[in-house]
């Protein structure tokens, strides 16, 4: 039994550490704060107990003593407990106190540091907290207390004289008093200062001013918590080093319509390019039951999607079979993802057409002798491939391994969809299902991105003209086409 005090980073899901993700995936109990990335718990076990221990609107909804009691109780019960906190657990996170409470009760704990907001928010605003020419020291302080109260534990005169960068957490409300104190302590009024709201998250805002003007500027701009304030020469470097605004999809909202399980890879890449991403997973992959096909009967086995590969293997494995069951057949794969899924299972496909559509495979098979073929795929798919093979005199069996079923969108997902600048469609079923679930249709000014001609045709059959069509019919192709379109429109 161990309680893990885990930092979740400042908000960008990509800044969760590998160790944090691993522990989240194993935990029996997760006690989490408000300021954690909204996808942080996606990898938790379905049967894990998730306990919210955050603060709503400043007031504690779960007190510190209660949190410590929870950790001790679950720790004693011998469960794997993850205490997930924003940023780093030992930087203004009361992680030290929680560790002490556990030690007092002789409960084992481990600490997993996180990326702290005081470093990350400035970094995402183009501000290095140290710089050889501008700051060789950095101090982290809490701006939580009213500096004018006699019981303030911070020595503001000493901080005013501190020879380096001051990074202030929790200081938005007290900003006027803090800057007054620093000025009174002799810090130069024209020293650069910056404030970064919602650092690393979509909707990050940053502004640069001086020590004497930052409080007023921040208030005029409506800057609110959570925000980090930076005092020091380094703040001026934002002019040169701002970078998130330069990313190819900065400021754009993209709706991703793939099935939930597959959406995350595309979403992560879009976020990395600067987009705000909403997953509107209108479809779910529903495996179909059935026997494993008699694979040794076929001289050609065609797989048309990574899901098909995964589910064929599930059927094979439940019958005690492995890759050797395909030894007698040529294996054809549509698309690099399908090819990769086969490779991961020890099979190098014999035929991978250059065009990732059924027609491409028909062409690639032109000179391949086929007598009996198996096409393993989704229940509702076009019959281009089986029909073409049959016309050539082959005997063709089609096995449906899964169906794609529509998923109802949540209010939040619908709201994201309505705001989208781009909606990506990676298959015909994403078109059909999104239209079936999107109340009131798609937003009129969103640009529709199609993975290829088949998906485009499905859009057109619903009276929707795609604005962008990928020339490579895979995820890389979709990203390339989207970036090119965004660049052309800037
Ligand atoms: N343990 C956390 C800090 C908790 S105190 C860490 O290491 O980052 C909470 C304060 O952190 C907020 O008031 C704010 O000042 C800062 N903060 C947290 N997330 C932030 C973000 N995404 N952008 C800017 N400041 C943030």
């Amino acid at each position: 039994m161990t309680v893990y005090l885990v930092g979740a980073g400042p908000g960008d899901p990509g800044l969760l550490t590998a160790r944090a993700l691993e522990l989240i995936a194993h935990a029996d109990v997760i006690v989490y704060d408000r300021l954690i990335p909204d996808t942080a718990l996606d990898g938790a076990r379905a049967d894990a107990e998730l306990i919210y221990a955050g603060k709503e609107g400043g007031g504690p909804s779960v007190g510190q003593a209660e949190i410590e009691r929870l950790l001790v109780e679950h720790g004693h019960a011998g469960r794997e407990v993850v205490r997930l906190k924003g940023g780093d657990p030992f930087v203004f996170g009361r992680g030290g106190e929680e560790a002490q409470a556990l030690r007092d009760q002789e409960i084992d704990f481990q600490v997993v540091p996180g990326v702290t907001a005081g470093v990350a928010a400035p970094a995402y605003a183009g501000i290095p907290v140290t710089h050889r020419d501008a700051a060789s020291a950095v101090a982290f302080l809490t701006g939580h207390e009213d500096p004018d109260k006699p019981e303030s534990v911070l020595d503001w005169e000493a901080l005013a004289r501190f020879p380096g960068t001051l990074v202030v957490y929790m200081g938005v409300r007290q900003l006027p008093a803090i800057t007054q104190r620093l000025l009174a302590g002799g810090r130069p009024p024209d020293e650069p200062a910056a404030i970064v709201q919602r650092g690393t998250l979509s909707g990050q805002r940053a502004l640069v001013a001086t020590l004497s003007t930052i409080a007023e500027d921040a208030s005029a701009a409506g800057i609110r918590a959570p925000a980090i304030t930076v005092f020091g020469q380094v703040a001026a470097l934002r002019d040169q080093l701002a970078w998130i605004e330069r990313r190819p999809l900065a400021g754009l909202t993209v709706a991703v319509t793939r099935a939930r399980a597959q959406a995350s890879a595309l979403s992560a890449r879009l976020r990395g390019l600067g987009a705000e991403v909403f997953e509107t997973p209108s479809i779910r992959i529903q495996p179909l039951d059935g026997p494993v096909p008699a694979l040794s009967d076929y001289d050609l086995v065609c797989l048309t999607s990574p899901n098909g590969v995964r589910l064929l293997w599930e059927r094979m494995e439940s019958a005690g079979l492995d890759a050797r069951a395909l030894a007698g057949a040529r294996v054809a794969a549509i698309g690099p993802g399908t090819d990769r899924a086969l490779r991961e299972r020890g099979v190098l496909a014999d035929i991978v057409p250059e065009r990732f559509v059924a027609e491409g495979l028909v062409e690639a098979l032109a000179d391949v002798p086929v007598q009996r073929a198996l096409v393993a795929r989704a229940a509702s798919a076009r019959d281009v491939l089986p029909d073409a093979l049959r016309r050539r005199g082959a005997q063709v069996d089609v096995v449906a391994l899964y169906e794609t079923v529509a998923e109802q969108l949540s209010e939040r997902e619908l709201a994201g969809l309505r705001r989208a600048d781009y909606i990506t469609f990676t298959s015909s079923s994403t078109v059909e299902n999104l239209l079936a679930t999107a109340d009131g249709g798609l937003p009129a000014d969103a640009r529709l991105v199609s993975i290829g001609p088949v998906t485009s045709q499905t859009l057109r059959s619903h009276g929707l003209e795609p604005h962008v069509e990928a020339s490579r019919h895979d995820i890389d192709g979709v990203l390339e086409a989207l970036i090119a379109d965004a660049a052309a429109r800037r």
Side-chain angles (χ1 to χ4, degrees):
M1 60 175 199
T2 303
V3 176
Y4 298 90
L5 302 172
V6 180
D12 178 346
L15 298 179
L16 272 157
T17 65
R19 179 71 173 141
L21 290 173
E22 189 177 287
L23 290 169
I24 289 166
H26 277 117
D28 298 311
V29 184
I30 302 177
V31 182
Y32 65 98
D33 276 354
R34 186 167 59 93
L35 287 180
I36 60 167
D38 51 11
T39 58
L41 300 176
D42 288 0
R45 284 182 1 221
D47 62 340
E49 186 179 347
L50 307 179
I51 304 174
Y52 176 69
K55 295 174 182 158
E56 232 40 277
S61 59
V62 182
Q64 187 62 25
E66 171 63 7
I67 293 173
E68 286 166 22
R69 195 194 60 72
L70 275 171
L71 298 182
V72 167
E73 178 194 310
H74 290 295
H76 266 315
R79 305 174 82 188
E80 293 275 307
V81 183
V82 164
R83 168 69 177 120
L84 194 61
K85 304 164 79 71
D88 181 276
F90 276 8
V91 178
F92 303 124
R94 307 191 72 167
E97 290 157 65
E98 291 170 14
Q100 285 171 315
L102 293 164
R103 172 57 30 95
D104 286 347
Q105 299 295 319
E106 294 181 1
I107 294 172
D108 286 335
F109 65 86
Q110 293 185 19
V111 182
V112 180
V115 176
T116 190
V119 175
Y124 269 50
I127 300 171
V129 293
T130 73
H131 187 285
R132 244 165 67 98
D133 303 329
S136 297
V138 54
F140 296 111
L141 43 137
T142 166
H144 183 55
E145 314 172 346
D146 179 352
D148 294 328
K149 286 230 176 94
E151 65 270 22
S152 170
V153 294
L154 287 169
D155 180 344
W156 288 97
E157 277 178 30
L159 288 167
R161 289 194 306 274
F162 180 75
T165 309
L166 298 176
V167 173
V168 185
Y169 291 70
M170 297 172 279
V172 180
R173 206 167 323 160
Q174 300 294 343
L175 200 54
I178 291 169
T179 50
Q180 272 314 313
R181 278 304 185 96
L182 293 173
L183 288 166
R187 222 164 157 97
D190 58 353
E191 181 183 71
I195 189 157
V196 186
Q197 174 182 330
R198 283 178 61 82
T200 81
L201 288 156
S202 63
Q204 167 176 318
R205 295 172 67 201
L207 70 86
V208 179
T210 64
L211 174 56
S212 60
T213 59
I214 184 98
E216 210 168 296
D217 288 5
S219 146
I223 296 283
R224 284 197 303 270
I228 288 286
T229 313
V230 178
F231 298 105
Q233 292 301 328
V234 290
L237 292 171
R238 171 167 162 79
D239 279 351
Q240 292 167 43
L241 302 183
W243 58 273
I244 62 162
E245 297 82 353
R246 292 174 186 244
R247 290 177 299 172
L249 302 181
L252 296 173
T253 303
V254 181
V256 170
T257 58
R258 310 193 88 192
R260 215 174 283 278
Q262 297 166 312
S264 58
L266 176 57
S267 302
R269 299 204 33 209
L270 287 164
R271 287 197 185 96
L273 294 163
E276 180 175 1
V277 179
F278 281 93
E279 291 182 1
T280 48
S282 55
I283 59 169
R284 183 163 46 85
I285 303 297
Q286 179 71 47
L288 295 173
D289 289 334
V292 58
L295 294 163
S296 56
D297 291 354
Y298 301 99
D299 54 0
L300 175 71
V301 174
C302 302
L303 288 145
T304 63
S305 73
N307 282 313
V309 175
R310 178 171 61 83
L311 293 167
L312 178 62
W313 248 255
E314 279 182 17
R315 286 199 192 180
M316 283 161 54
E317 281 166 10
S318 65
L321 298 174
D322 61 19
R324 289 170 293 179
L326 287 164
R330 280 203 177 84
V331 176
I334 299 182
T338 312
D339 184 29
R340 203 173 316 121
L342 282 164
R343 251 167 225 274
E344 283 164 5
R345 291 166 175 82
V347 174
L348 303 183
D350 301 286
I351 304 139
V352 185
E354 268 167 35
R355 292 200 302 139
F356 314 145
V357 289
E359 286 81 353
L361 184 54
V362 171
E363 281 164 22
L365 287 169
D367 300 324
V368 179
V370 185
Q371 291 190 333
R372 273 199 80 179
L374 177 73
V375 179
R377 61 171 208 193
S380 60
R382 296 178 310 139
D383 285 324
V384 173
L385 177 61
D387 287 352
L389 289 170
R390 284 190 188 113
R391 274 199 300 276
R392 292 174 40 184
Q395 189 187 334
V396 183
D397 294 329
V398 174
V399 57
L401 295 166
Y402 60 94
E403 54 188 355
T404 50
V405 288
E407 270 214 276
Q408 218 45 53
L409 295 181
S410 68
E411 264 318 304
R412 203 181 145 268
E413 289 162 346
L414 280 171
L417 183 65
R418 282 194 286 270
R419 281 184 40 210
D421 299 301
Y422 285 93
I423 304 176
T424 60
F425 294 98
T426 49
S427 67
S428 291
S429 54
T430 63
V431 177
E432 303 284 3
N433 291 304
L434 187 68
L435 289 171
T437 55
D439 279 352
L442 305 182
D445 42 5
R447 292 179 71 75
L448 310 181
V449 184
S450 153
I451 194 167
V454 178
T455 302
S456 297
Q457 204 45 54
T458 307
L459 279 165
R460 286 190 195 103
S461 73
H462 289 278
L464 296 166
E465 184 58 30
H467 301 89
V468 183
E469 182 181 286
S471 44
R472 251 188 77 170
H473 314 313
D474 62 1
I475 292 306
D476 286 317
V478 170
L479 288 170
E480 251 167 51
L482 212 162
I483 291 169
D485 188 71
R489 293 170 62 80
R490 278 207 199 275

